[in-house]
């Protein structure tokens, strides 16, 4: 097992990894930017070094400085967390070449699954359901038009190297398809250095269904069932739950097993998430594979009892997975609410500044993952998530009630957070009866604006 892990991240995820390290008797060490000098999570680390100014490109994205810090602090492994360099295969390779174990997949497996065209090809082989669409990248426009006709409009043009919702265009006819291909290519070349785009069916009404999977270096892989993340705004998840409500057991088993098979075939070691869209007939179509731990991993931990972060560290150290598929059972229901320092009443304006009041809820089934506290000043340079409330209960109805009580106990000031919005969302009929889809929050906010 590792003796010392360097955490190349910040905030609540750094704290989450520090806690996992402690339970495994590993010494956690951190890097931080000048803006995070007073980051409360640094107090829990054994040692930390400043690696540069506030801007991520000058600190958390500086591979050379992170490697130097790992050398100086005598780490034997590097954990990327999520965001920043977590899906950068070059970083994973530099870690390996510099003699540090990267807590995550090999650069080869990351590349194979990170490229959307290649990932789709592997998924077809593994029997993981994907959208109908072009086989690979688009070579010529006639072929693209031909396949769009076969699939049927609307279709979506997407970048092979895409991420963060960029390089995508929806096309409802042939003219907009040709425009879409040209502009998506340009955007993709500029953003990802790879102009390759492909076309697939566009699904109008869908739910976001994602499968947590984890593999080891000995060819084993299991799934930890799924999460439903259909409550989003601008492709950002706000509320996640596990398991996905209303999905038939046989459909769930089939898609979850196919996701585990995909990472087994990709010889993938570590935690990953296969993201799908699900239509109202419970057909599944894979969107992409995220080759890292996700923000919403705790709800899966709550319902399965598996510590995903600790298991990820164990498999990176070469241990076999400590469980078989048949050992994994779903227990109850869990919901995660992302606490963003944003004001939902003022178009989600980011809220910076010093936190004066911070009251954390408690009681059975309540877990709060946060690095914030009273006296902490939220820097403006990073994303606005300051914590996550994870609520576990025997069933979904109790879980929703428990969330409402916990939210009423939670207090932050003087800034606003997204919590008041969630109290309302959890009481909406379409959420309660699970007839919602990935656009439901935006439709609701839109109708609020129209009423004003
Ligand atoms: P990124 O890597 O940029 O996040 P994804 O492939 O995950 O790209 O897609 C981002 C979002 O775009 C999805 O969550 C979904 O809302 C929408 N989307 C992508 N592909 C489709 C599709 N074929 N049909 C409908 N919506 C889609």
């Amino acid at each position: 097992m590792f003796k010392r892990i360097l955490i190349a991240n910040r905030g609540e995820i750094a704290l989450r990894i520090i806690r996992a390290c402690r339970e495994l008797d590993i010494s956690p060490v951190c890097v931080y930017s000048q803006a995070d000098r007073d980051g409360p999570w640094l107090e829990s680390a054994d040692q930390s070094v400043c690696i540069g100014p506030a801007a991520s490109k000058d600190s958390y994205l500086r591979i050379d400085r992170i490697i130097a810090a790992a050398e100086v602090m005598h780490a034997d492994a590097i954990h990327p967390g999520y965001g920043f360099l977590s899906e950068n295969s070059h970083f994973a390779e530099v870690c390996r070449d510099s003699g540090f174990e990267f807590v995550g997949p090999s650069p080869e497996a990351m590349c194979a699954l990170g490229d959307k065209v290649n990932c789709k090809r592997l998924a077809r082989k593994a029997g993981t359901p994907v959208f109908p669409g072009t086989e690979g990248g688009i070579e010529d426009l006639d072929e693209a038009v031909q396949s769009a006709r076969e699939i049927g409009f609307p279709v979506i043009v997407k970048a092979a190297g895409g991420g963060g919702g960029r390089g995508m265009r929806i096309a409802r006819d042939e003219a907009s398809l040709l425009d879409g291909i040209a502009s998506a290519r340009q955007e993709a070349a500029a953003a990802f250095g790879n102009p390759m785009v492909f076309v697939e069916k566009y699904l109008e009404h869908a739910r976001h269904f994602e499968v947590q999977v984890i593999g080891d270096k000995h060819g084993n892989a299991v799934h930890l069932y799924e999460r439903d993340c259909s409550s989003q705004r601008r492709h950002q998840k706000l509320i996640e739950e596990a398991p996905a409500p209303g999905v038939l057991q046989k459909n769930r088993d089939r898609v979850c097993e196919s996701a585990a098979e995909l990472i087994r075939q990709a010889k993938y070691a570590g935690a990953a998430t296969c993201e799908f869209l699900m239509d109202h007939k419970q057909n599944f179509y894979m969107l992409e594979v995220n080759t890292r731990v996700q923000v919403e991993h705790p709800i899966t931990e709550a319902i399965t009892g598996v510590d995903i972060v600790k298991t990820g560290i164990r498999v990176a150290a070469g241990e076999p997975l400590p469980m078989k598929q048949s050992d994994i059972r779903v227990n109850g229901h869990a919901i995660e609410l992302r606490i963003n320092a944003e004001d939902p009443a003022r178009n989600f304006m980011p809220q910076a500044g010093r936190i004066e009041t911070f009251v954390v809820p408690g009681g059975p089934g309540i877990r709060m993952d946060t690095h914030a506290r009273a006296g902490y000043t939220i820097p403006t340079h990073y994303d606005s998530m300051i914590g996550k409330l994870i609520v576990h209960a025997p069933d979904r109805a109790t879980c929703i009630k428990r969330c409402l009580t916990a939210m009423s106990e939670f207090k932050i000031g003087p800034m606003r957070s997204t919590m008041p919005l969630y109290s309302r969302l959890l009481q909406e009929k379409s959420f309660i009866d699970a007839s919602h889809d990935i656009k439901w929050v935006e439709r609701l906010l839109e109708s609020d604006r129209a009423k004003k």
Side-chain angles (χ1 to χ4, degrees):
M1 184 43 80
F2 306 122
K3 290 200 168 53
R4 177 164 271 206
I5 291 183
L6 176 130
I7 300 161
N9 217 300
R10 63 180 300 282
E12 67 88 21
I13 187 62
L15 188 54
R16 173 72 187 89
I17 299 164
I18 289 171
R19 288 173 174 153
C21 286
R22 294 283 177 216
E23 289 184 21
L24 292 168
D25 293 318
I26 297 168
S27 158
V29 297
C30 286
V31 290
Y32 62 93
S33 74
Q34 282 166 6
D36 281 337
R37 196 177 290 285
D38 299 320
W41 64 94
L42 300 174
E43 291 168 17
S44 308
D46 281 344
Q47 210 182 331
S48 7
V49 294
C50 182
I51 50 164
S56 320
K57 69 172 181 23
D58 299 321
S59 49
Y60 295 108
L61 295 175
R62 282 289 299 260
I63 295 178
D64 54 342
R65 294 187 183 164
I66 293 168
I67 297 291
E71 276 163 3
V72 167
M73 293 192 283
H74 304 289
D76 42 13
I78 297 180
H79 199 309
Y82 54 69
F84 296 125
L85 294 168
S86 60
E87 291 183 280
N88 183 317
S89 59
H90 174 64
F91 178 55
E93 204 174 332
V94 174
C95 288
R96 187 172 65 188
D97 293 349
S98 311
F100 301 106
E101 197 65 46
F102 177 79
V103 183
S106 67
E108 293 76 20
M110 197 192 280
C111 276
L113 294 175
D115 178 287
K116 291 185 194 209
V117 166
N118 195 43
C119 183
K120 254 181 115 162
R121 201 173 287 137
L122 288 173
R124 284 197 189 94
K125 251 176 68 188
T128 316
V130 292
F131 278 104
T134 48
E135 271 294 318
I138 293 170
E139 299 294 341
D140 72 281
L141 296 177
D142 288 344
E143 179 204 318
V145 170
Q146 184 54 34
S147 52
R149 279 193 199 129
E150 281 163 21
I151 305 162
F153 285 96
V155 297
I156 183 166
V157 182
K158 292 167 83 170
R166 284 182 304 173
M168 292 193 290
R169 298 288 183 282
I170 299 162
R172 296 184 186 277
D173 51 40
E174 288 181 17
S176 64
L177 174 64
L178 296 177
D179 283 353
I181 292 174
S183 63
R185 266 192 181 145
Q186 254 176 16
E187 190 175 322
F192 318 114
N194 173 6
M196 187 192 276
V197 298
F198 62 101
V199 172
E200 66 184 22
K201 177 83 193 146
Y202 180 71
L203 201 58
E204 299 275 4
H205 298 285
R207 269 166 61 188
H208 178 108
F209 181 102
E210 60 180 39
V211 182
Q212 176 72 57
V213 285
I214 191 156
D216 66 20
K217 294 180 178 173
H218 308 276
N220 306 303
V222 297
H223 68 77
L224 301 176
Y225 292 95
E226 83 284 2
R227 300 182 284 260
D228 184 315
C229 316
S230 302
S231 300
Q232 309 180 353
R233 176 177 170 269
R234 298 191 175 159
H235 299 315
Q236 296 297 317
K237 297 163 186 166
L238 299 172
I239 301 175
E240 302 99 345
E241 60 180 314
V247 177
L248 292 175
Q249 191 62 41
K250 67 173 194 322
N251 295 343
R252 154 182 299 128
D253 286 341
R254 203 174 46 227
V255 68
C256 290
E257 279 159 21
S258 79
E261 183 56 27
L262 171 59
I263 69 150
R264 202 173 293 128
Q265 289 198 9
K267 299 196 169 37
Y268 185 99
T273 297
C274 299
E275 297 194 331
F276 295 86
L277 290 181
M278 177 183 86
D279 69 14
H280 65 282
K281 290 184 186 147
Q282 298 191 6
N283 293 307
F284 296 87
Y285 307 95
M286 198 181 75
L287 281 175
E288 63 171 342
V289 178
N290 289 320
T291 55
R292 55 175 164 80
V293 171
Q294 278 185 277
V295 173
E296 59 271 26
H297 76 275
I299 50 175
T300 300
E301 296 185 324
I303 61 160
T304 61
V306 173
D307 187 313
I308 293 169
V309 177
K310 265 164 60 178
T311 310
I313 293 172
R314 286 207 155 106
V315 300
E319 290 185 16
L321 278 177
M323 69 292 208
K324 298 189 297 293
Q325 190 65 56
S326 57
D327 299 331
I328 298 156
R329 298 262 149 66
V330 171
N331 170 22
H333 199 88
I335 294 179
E336 176 181 272
L337 308 161
R338 295 191 187 196
I339 309 172
N340 297 337
E342 294 169 359
D343 185 358
R346 287 162 75 208
N347 201 26
F348 295 82
M349 196 202 287
Q351 309 279 294
R354 185 181 145 99
I355 302 176
E356 300 296 344
T357 313
F358 199 72
V359 180
V360 171
I366 304 293
R367 165 176 167 184
M368 184 84 163
D369 278 20
T370 182
H371 57 285
R373 57 165 80 142
Y376 173 58
T377 299
I378 305 170
T380 49
H381 309 84
Y382 313 106
D383 74 25
S384 61
M385 199 184 74
I386 51 163
K388 314 178 301 204
L389 174 62
I390 301 108
V391 179
H392 185 210
D395 55 75
R396 188 171 187 258
T398 314
C399 193
I400 293 176
K401 282 194 190 135
R402 206 167 262 186
C403 284
L404 293 170
T405 310
M407 279 188 275
S408 72
E409 290 172 14
F410 176 75
K411 296 204 170 35
I412 186 169
M415 60 281 297
R416 304 291 165 113
S417 83
T418 40
M419 288 298 232
L421 171 68
Y422 301 156
S423 302
R424 176 177 166 208
L425 294 180
L426 292 193
Q427 297 180 79
E428 286 287 327
K429 183 175 175 301
S430 50
F431 183 84
I432 292 172
D433 64 20
S435 60
H436 60 325
D437 62 33
I438 48 175
K439 297 279 162 60
W440 88 282
V441 175
E442 287 182 356
R443 278 196 304 270
L444 196 84
L445 296 171
E446 192 54 46
S447 82
D448 283 357
R449 268 196 295 277
K451 280 185 206 137
K452 272 188 194 157

